[in-house]
Structure formats: structure tokens, C-alpha cells
Amino acid sequence: MTEKTFSVAVAGATGAVGDQMIRCLEERQFPVKSLKALASKRSAGKRVRYKGETVLVEELTEDSFKGIDLALFSAGGSTSTRFAPHAAKDGCIVIDNSSAWRMDPEVPLVVPEVNPHAVSDYTRKGIIANPNCSTIQMVVALNPIHRRFGIKRIVVSTYQAVSGTGKKAIHELFDQTRDMINFLDIKKDVYPHRIAFNCLPHIDAFLKNGYTKEEMKMVHETRKILEDTDIGVTATTIRVPVFFGHSESINVETDKPITPEEVKAVLGKAPGVKVVDDPSTNRYPMPIDAAGQDWTLVGRIRKDESIPNGINLWVVADNIRKGAATNAVQIAEILAEKYL
Ligand code: 25A
Ligand code: L14
């Protein structure tokens, strides 16, 4: 790591992801000169902890970024749309966790294990986008397979934790679960239906084509990160009553012949991936094991016996860490080491 230090701002510091961004800066010993915690007016005056010290939360305004080198944003799409250009104008590089800038051709969309070279395009707008949580863990697992066997088509179904929606959704699952087992009436606020003891085939808004935005993000972002517009991707995204950790059932069809043994060997050496695959001892990836760590866990590696060249996988990762905060801090590390 470089000797230089950086003034860093976290926008959305009181949110589920913003809080974890601060933890990741601390854990990974990012060279922070000063830390500024930003949130909406509602949270101004609250305090967050950083390295045993208390940092006062300030209201995010257009002038928040003067003298700041790097800003990590996780305050929702409309906040990023509005404030990221002001930060960039003041010479602050933005790493944005919302969907606002991801598909902008002038904004790199980066997963450090997959396309770290794309970071260099940060100079075009002063913004780097962090992909969607479900996309990140999928491309970490599939990029090594794509490079070796050539992926033609991906069919993915997700089982997504409520923490992706933020703190309010974490409370909603907790409260509904508690009320259900006490035979009380439940309250719904964040999701249109009960999430406790249920599954919702609905993440983010529905589009005209019948898919949800979350499903189409997986299609477009995967192609952009893998730098291959020919890959077919079709997704179904499901909310499940899990607090932390997204799971994905992934089917891939490849150009070249492929076997489970070869996939295990390739993934055994892949950055960020841990193969957890031993059915004889009931070992396979689960959200309870993924939560709180940064590996993308891959298991249930099987041949798709219905086509000549196909594989099935089960991929699990912590959506708040690798799916959001860790990935953003890894991008900051590349910037600090190579470009600043
Ligand atoms: O939910 P929001 O609005 O996007 O807010 C998230 C963070 O951004 C801040 C907000 O501060 C919080 O720190 N923020 C929002 N609007 C802002 C603005 N105009 C803003 N900061 C500056 N200017 P806060 O003080 O508003 O919020 C404090 C707590 O209240 C929750 N909250 C936010 N908006 C609320 C609200 N509560 C009630 N009503 C509202 N309208 C907020 O919830 C925080 O706890 P949160 O954790 O947990 O929000 C998580 C956001 O992050 C996104 N997200 C989660 N995972 C991912 C992700 N985005 C991309 N990738 C991921 N992997 C969620 O979708 C959600 O938007
Ligand atoms: O990053 O789980 O585009 O409700 C927006 C929806 C993150 C997850 C994004 C959810 C997603 C979020």
C-alpha cells in the first residue's frame, strides 16, 4: 500500500451499507487521513464510530466535497444522481454503490477480481460504479469459467436477503417474525407483502417487459463487467426471509466441453472464491456461513446433463460486504495504489 493518505467521505453513513463501508475502511487499514460521515438531514448530528473515535454525521450538501479525495456513496440512486457530479466537480473521486451511474458508458463498472483495469476510466467523469450485489458475486464465480470455457448463456435464479433493501427492511423481517410467532397482526411497510415465512418474486420495480429492474441489472451489468455483449443472461430474482447473504442457483452453457472436476480446479485458484463442495459431509455454501466474511462461496458443482456443455452451481456471498462495501473499498485500494 502507498505511503499517501486520503481524506475520505462516506455518503449514507448511517445506512446498512454505509456503516459497513466505514468498518471495511477500518478493517482493511485503508490509508485514511480524515473521515467525513454524510447522511440526510434526518441523521445529521448522529455519531458513527471509526477506529475507536466518534465522528459526527453531517448533512450531505453540494459543498460537502471540498478538499475530499474520495467519496463512497450508498445513499440511494436519487442522492447519487444529484450529488456525485458536485463531488466530481470539486475533484473528489466518487465510488458509487447505487444503480444511478452503472450503465453510463463513461463510468467504469468494477469488480476488482474481474476487471480491475477498468478503474483507469475514472478520469472520464470522476465516478466509478459499484455493481449490483447479485451481479458481483455471480461474476466473481463465473469470470474464471468464462475465460477458460467461454460462456454462451447464463440462467440465474437468486434468493436475496432483506439487508439489500437497507436497515428498515432488516427491522421489518425481524418484527414480522416476532409478531407471527406471538400470533399478533403483522405490519408491512417496506415490501408489498409479508416477507416473514414467505418468498417474493419481486426485487426493485417491474418493467414493461415483465422483468424487474433487479433482473435486468443482472443482464446488463454482467455483460459490461465481463466485456462481452454476446453472453446471453436471463435472471429471476427472489426475496427470501434471510437477513444477510444472497444465494444464487446458476446454470451456464459453454462453448468448450466442461466438467465439474475442471470447474473445481479453475475455481480453486480463482481470486475471491472459496469452493465449498463436499456432499458426502453435507458441505455446501449457505448464507449463515457467508455472512460476515468476504469470500464468494461456490458449491453444488454439477454437470447439466440436459445439454452437451453445461454446469450447475450454487453461489453465496455476503451482500453487504462483497456485494457492496468491501467491493467499494477494494476499488478505493486500486485507486490509491495505482492512480493517485
Ligand atoms: O434508504 P436511503 O434513503 O437510500 O438511505 C440510505 C442512506 O443514505 C442516506 C441515509 O441517511 C442513509 O444513511 N440518505 C438518504 N437520503 C439522503 C439524502 N438526501 C441520504 N443522505 C444524504 N442526503 P438517512 O439519515 O436518511 O437515513 C438514516 C437511516 O434511515 C434509513 N432511511 C433512509 N431513508 C429513509 C430511511 N428511513 C425512513 N424513511 C426514509 N425515507 C436509512 O436506511 C438509515 O438507516 P438504510 O440502511 O439502511 O438504507 C440503505 C440504502 O442502501 C441501499 N442499498 C443497500 N444495499 C445496497 C444498496 N444499494 C446498492 N447496493 C447494495 N448492495 C438500499 O437500497 C437503501 O437505499
Ligand atoms: O444495488 O435488495 O441496485 O432491495 C437495489 C435493490 C441493491 C439491492 C442495487 C434490494 C440493488 C436492493
Side-chain angles (χ1 to χ4, degrees), residues 199-229:
C199 295
L200 311 178
H202 176 186
I203 297 184
D204 209 336
F206 279 101
L207 298 166
K208 280 209 200 82
N209 66 358
Y211 286 83
T212 62
K213 275 192 187 170
E214 185 78 353
E215 289 161 348
M216 296 316 294
K217 282 180 248 174
M218 291 192 78
V219 174
H220 301 304
E221 295 180 22
T222 298
R223 292 182 180 148
K224 180 166 175 177
I225 300 161
L226 295 180
E227 295 168 359
D228 189 339
T229 48

Side-chain angles (χ1 to χ4, degrees), residues 12 14-17 39-40 42-43 60 74-76 79 97 164-168 324:
T14 56
V17 172
S40 70
R42 221 179 4 250
S43 290
L60 170 58
S74 191
T79 307
N97 190 48
T165 317
K167 277 190 182 158
K168 278 180 76 180

Side-chain angles (χ1 to χ4, degrees), residues 97 99 102 132-133 160-161 164-165 203-204 214 217 239 246:
N97 190 48
S99 55
R102 290 177 189 152
N132 172 266
C133 36
Q160 298 186 213
T165 317
I203 297 184
D204 209 336
E214 185 78 353
K217 282 180 248 174
R239 183 84 58 199
H246 287 359

Side-chain angles (χ1 to χ4, degrees), residues 66-134:
K66 296 207 177 355
I68 303 290
D69 301 312
L70 272 175
L72 309 183
F73 270 67
S74 191
S78 54
T79 307
S80 294
T81 303
R82 176 159 167 221
F83 292 100
H86 289 282
K89 181 176 63 57
D90 282 338
C92 169
I93 302 167
V94 173
I95 302 170
D96 181 42
N97 190 48
S98 80
S99 55
W101 300 96
R102 290 177 189 152
M103 295 313 296
D104 185 320
E106 294 191 306
V107 172
L109 183 64
V110 179
V111 177
E113 291 84 349
V114 179
N115 62 338
H117 52 270
V119 167
S120 64
D121 278 341
Y122 80 91
T123 49
R124 299 178 76 179
K125 268 204 167 135
I127 302 172
I128 302 172
N130 211 44
N132 172 266
C133 36
S134 301

